[in-house]
Amino acid sequence: MVQTGEDDLVEYGFRRVIITITAVLCAMLEIVDTTIVNVALNNMRGSLGASLTDVAWVITAYAIANVIVIPMTSWLSQQFGRRNYFAVSIIIFTVASFLCGNANNIWELVAFRFIQGLGGGALLVTAQTIITESYPVAKRGMAQAIYGMGVIVGPTLGPPLGGYIVDHFSWPYIFYINIPIGIIATLLTLSFVKSPKYGDKLKASQVDWWGIFLLTAFIGSLQYILEHGQQDDWFNNSTIVILSVISVFGLLLFIWRELTYKHPIVNLRVLKDTNLRIGTIMCFILGFGLYGSTFIIPIYTQSVLGWSALDAGLLLIPSSITTGLMMPFIGKMIQRGVPQAYMVAAGFLLFFFFTYWMQQVITPDSGEEHLYWPLILRGIGLGLLFVPISTLSLSTLKGKSIGEGAAFTGMMRQLGGSFGIAIITTFIARFNQEHRVNLISHLNTTSFEVQKTVQQLKMGFMSKGYTENEALAKAYKAIEYKVMVQSSVLSYIDIFLYLGALFLFCIPFILLIKKGKNKINPADAMH
């Protein structure tokens, strides 16, 4: 970010506390809203009379809007002034939240979620920059740690909070809860946040409209493909094929446009920096692991172990708190000059141990005590990855390039999450079928073991008053259900195996990273 008088933005005492609280609140609002809806989808289906495919759009629309806005935030802040842009984003987000709660049908809700996402994407990146610049250089490690806590704890607060609201009130309240917070945040922003002096604004005729259009086409299509690939049967579906073509050509034209236009909306030249290139890939993999594991664990606990949404959400909280508690220590370690490449390598190694441990403990009747410690290990691994990867990516950049590089790392983390969830859902479905076929092939009706089990189940059902034929049918159903549960568990075990392999595979690449000459703050890094 280019600005005159960087020190003008540094705040002290009470003002700094207020600005930090405002920025973290806004970042939390945006992140909690990404996951809070997952728990309420069933209730929305019921009250809006929508199918499961339709209701999935509530998540898709928000994600697409987010991913489109994130790369453009650096440019938009320059155009409109940061304080105005931040305040308007909060207002858009808050008004859209009110409209979401009042939606009368599913497509109204989807449209309002898209608008909410356009406001929300800006909150994350801008909140980061505001926190960074409100602290003097020496204290930015701590500023980062505070922001990092919000970013990591946010996704796991969503499901339990959503579960509680849906159980005790009704689903519109998951949106209404944003309104008072949004109003307070807007007032605080207008009163306390300062705008840096940027370069000149562009005239409407100079704005990179084609760049915006191509970015939207490429990222929007890609996000749709990832969210709907599995349920629409991937490339056997004509919509997916058309969007894949749009996405590929959109990407190629977008790259060409940004490299040749005088005022590009996203500056791709920053990617000449080797560390940033490796860092964006690492951010992608981090997103894959962070969102992928946050997605798979609640599904396993709810579908296989039969937990409630609230319990499934609460299970992830100790892991997030562990990461949050680690943040300040990581900030201190970076300031003391501990090589970040080693921290990242250690983080990936711990993530590998977490997946290996999960493989060992998941069964059709695992309890909370079996999952608690592996998840704490995941929290420690994430702590070692989050700030160091971001800091490493930007360690050889200077000035304005830092903000532009940070937009890339933020976007890649989001896309990594979308890819992770899409790939995991696809593999769960495929592995499930394979394991079911394998298990059924072992169930030979002539074997003594199988006959004995069927007989025991049949006698059990007959003792409850069923006729012999009904009891036999129920016995077969019970066995079928057991096969289903077992094949699900085996699928989750496979997923953890592959996730672990991915993290292990990354370690050699991290050690290739050059050491940055200029010290960067964890702060600038954390978009």
Side-chain angles (χ1 to χ4, degrees):
M1 301 281 178
V2 179
Q3 73 234 2
T4 52
E6 192 169 320
D7 294 342
D8 300 348
L9 297 171
V10 173
E11 299 282 1
Y12 295 95
F14 173 70
R15 284 182 68 93
R16 185 163 75 196
V17 172
I18 294 284
I19 288 177
T20 308
I21 292 171
T22 310
V24 170
L25 254 184
C26 293
M28 290 275 281
L29 263 186
E30 135 73 7
I31 293 176
V32 168
D33 251 65
T34 315
T35 52
I36 195 169
V37 175
N38 300 11
V39 180
L41 291 180
N42 270 339
N43 302 62
M44 288 177 187
R45 271 175 69 191
S47 68
L48 298 173
S51 68
L52 188 58
T53 321
D54 290 346
V55 91
W57 270 100
V58 175
I59 297 172
T60 311
Y62 189 77
I64 289 177
N66 256 208
V67 166
I68 291 170
V69 162
I70 287 176
M72 305 194 319
T73 39
S74 170
W75 178 82
L76 287 166
S77 302
Q78 289 181 36
Q79 241 351 52
F80 301 111
R82 184 186 303 147
R83 182 182 63 194
N84 303 345
Y85 177 51
F86 193 53
V88 168
S89 294
I90 303 171
I91 294 167
I92 291 174
F93 186 84
T94 312
V95 171
S97 297
F98 173 73
L99 294 171
C100 284
N102 282 324
N104 295 320
N105 64 45
I106 188 68
W107 298 115
E108 265 183 38
L109 178 59
V110 168
F112 296 142
R113 273 289 276 180
F114 185 80
I115 297 167
Q116 192 190 28
L118 289 176
L123 298 184
L124 207 52
V125 185
T126 324
Q128 171 129 33
T129 322
I130 289 172
I131 288 186
T132 305
E133 292 178 354
S134 302
Y135 280 75
V137 173
K139 288 200 172 168
R140 285 189 181 167
M142 280 331 258
Q144 223 23 66
I146 297 165
Y147 177 78
M149 284 184 202
V151 172
I152 291 277
V153 175
T156 37
L157 273 184
L161 183 63
Y164 181 82
I165 292 172
V166 169
D167 288 349
H168 293 82
F169 305 98
S170 61
W171 67 262
Y173 283 90
I174 62 178
F175 296 116
Y176 294 152
I177 198 174
N178 297 334
I179 297 170
I181 302 174
I183 293 169
I184 295 166
T186 310
L187 295 174
L188 291 175
T189 301
L190 293 172
S191 315
F192 291 95
V193 173
K194 292 180 189 168
S195 283
K197 301 281 184 291
Y198 280 117
D200 298 333
K201 283 189 185 181
L202 296 180
K203 296 188 193 73
S205 59
Q206 293 176 306
V207 173
D208 185 8
W209 297 112
W210 276 107
I212 296 175
F213 171 72
L214 291 167
L215 176 73
T216 309
F218 141 61
I219 293 227
S221 307
L222 179 62
Q223 191 76 27
Y224 175 91
I225 295 163
L226 294 173
E227 301 256 349
H228 287 254
Q230 173 56 27
Q231 66 198 35
D232 296 348
D233 201 17
W234 292 105
F235 297 109
N236 295 330
N237 177 298
S238 55
T239 314
I240 299 267
V241 173
I242 293 165
L243 287 177
S244 304
V245 173
I246 292 174
S247 193
V248 171
F249 282 106
L251 172 62
L252 297 172
L253 289 168
F254 175 69
I255 292 172
W256 169 77
R257 170 76 181 179
E258 299 307 279
L259 291 176
T260 53
Y261 191 63
K262 190 180 171 197
H263 306 287
I265 190 145
V266 178
N267 180 9
L268 296 178
R269 291 187 178 82
V270 218
L271 288 171
K272 285 180 182 163
D273 185 271
T274 318
N275 283 10
L276 180 63
R277 278 206 304 274
I278 295 180
T280 39
I281 297 166
M282 292 304 159
C283 273
F284 182 84
I285 290 158
L286 173 65
F288 201 104
L290 171 65
Y291 292 107
S293 53
T294 310
F295 167 76
I296 188 174
I297 293 162
I299 288 190
Y300 158 70
T301 50
Q302 285 174 277
S303 65
V304 176
L305 304 180
W307 292 14
S308 70
L310 183 59
D311 290 341
L314 288 172
L315 177 70
L316 287 168
I317 284 185
S319 158
S320 305
I321 292 173
T322 311
T323 312
L325 291 175
M326 281 192 66
M327 287 289 180
F329 296 110
I330 303 289
K332 286 247 166 65
M333 283 162 75
I334 291 177
Q335 282 171 354
R336 286 200 184 130
V338 175
Q340 291 145 14
Y342 297 151
M343 288 159 77
V344 176
F348 276 133
L349 192 62
L350 284 179
F351 229 101
F352 166 72
F353 288 136
F354 151 72
T355 54
Y356 181 75
W357 196 350
M358 283 299 282
Q359 250 189 297
Q360 308 301 312
V361 295
I362 56 176
T363 64
D365 43 22
S366 302
E368 190 182 336
E369 66 281 6
H370 301 110
L371 305 174
Y372 182 82
W373 288 109
L375 286 170
I376 293 287
L377 189 65
R378 168 183 178 266
I380 298 172
L382 267 180
L384 283 167
L385 291 171
F386 202 79
V387 182
I389 283 185
S390 314
T391 320
L392 258 183
S393 316
L394 310 181
S395 59
T396 45
L397 297 176
K398 290 186 183 69
K400 189 181 176 190
S401 306
I402 292 178
E404 293 168 336
F408 276 107
T409 53
M411 181 178 85
M412 289 306 272
R413 195 167 60 241
Q414 294 282 62
L415 278 179
S418 303
F419 266 92
I421 290 171
I423 291 169
I424 286 171
T425 11
T426 307
F427 276 115
I428 285 178
R430 303 271 156 98
F431 289 155
N432 235 328
Q433 290 164 347
E434 277 175 39
H435 288 305
R436 192 171 174 277
V437 170
N438 291 343
L439 288 170
I440 288 175
S441 66
H442 293 293
L443 285 179
N444 190 346
T445 40
T446 55
S447 93
F448 175 66
E449 279 296 314
V450 175
Q451 285 177 348
K452 188 172 139 197
T453 311
V454 170
Q455 196 57 32
Q456 281 172 340
L457 287 166
K458 185 174 132 186
M459 298 312 283
F461 285 119
M462 282 172 75
S463 69
K464 288 179 184 156
Y466 289 100
T467 65
E468 191 172 346
N469 286 346
E470 283 173 342
L472 186 61
K474 280 202 167 293
Y476 283 129
K477 273 227 174 82
I479 288 179
E480 161 70 12
Y481 176 71
K482 273 189 177 168
V483 167
M484 251 172 58
V485 170
Q486 287 290 356
S487 55
S488 291
V489 171
L490 289 169
S491 308
Y492 292 121
I493 289 175
D494 288 347
I495 298 279
F496 278 117
L497 176 75
Y498 287 116
L499 268 180
L502 173 74
F503 285 113
L504 209 51
F505 179 70
C506 289
I507 295 176
F509 292 100
I510 297 160
L511 303 172
L512 296 175
I513 292 182
K514 286 190 299 193
K515 198 158 169 41
K517 291 171 210 51
N518 53 329
K519 265 202 167 177
I520 176 129
N521 261 300
D524 303 329
M526 289 275 313
H527 286 264

